[in-house]
Amino acid sequence: SRIDVARQQAEQRFAAAEKACWQRFAVNACLRQARSERRAVIDRLRQQELALNEVERRRSSAERLRQLDDKQRAQGDSARP
């Protein structure tokens, strides 16, 4: 959720910068710069999001393997006389 908030803030900053650009003489250069800055922030946030997702996938996978191991162990214990 922190990444979503940061992404929304980046979009708000871009909208404000874009609006300010239209007040300048060199509108296109200003817009290019604003887009470039937004892209850099969004790309960095995307990398963080991907890293968090990978950690969550690994945690979930490890938990699932543990559950399967526990289940197999329980079945092996109940099969013994």
Side-chain angles (χ1 to χ4, degrees):
S1 69
R2 179 190 62 79
I3 292 174
D4 290 334
V5 170
R7 186 175 286 124
Q8 288 173 353
Q9 290 172 343
E11 291 296 337
Q12 289 172 351
R13 282 191 305 270
F14 171 72
E18 186 178 40
K19 185 176 179 181
C21 286
W22 287 105
Q23 305 303 315
R24 295 179 151 191
F25 179 74
V27 173
N28 288 331
C30 181
L31 289 174
R32 271 193 304 274
Q33 179 64 32
R35 288 182 189 122
S36 177
E37 290 171 5
R38 176 182 64 171
R39 190 172 23 261
V41 170
I42 297 297
D43 288 348
R44 190 172 59 250
L45 291 171
R46 180 69 180 143
Q47 291 302 316
Q48 291 175 10
E49 187 175 43
L50 290 173
L52 287 172
N53 288 344
E54 178 64 23
V55 167
E56 180 58 27
R57 269 193 300 278
R58 287 183 183 186
R59 188 204 58 77
S60 178
S61 179
E63 176 63 22
R64 181 68 180 141
L65 288 174
R66 187 192 60 74
Q67 289 173 351
L68 289 172
D69 189 44
D70 289 349
K71 183 177 179 181
Q72 286 178 344
R73 206 173 301 123
Q75 288 175 349
D77 290 344
S78 65
R80 293 186 187 150

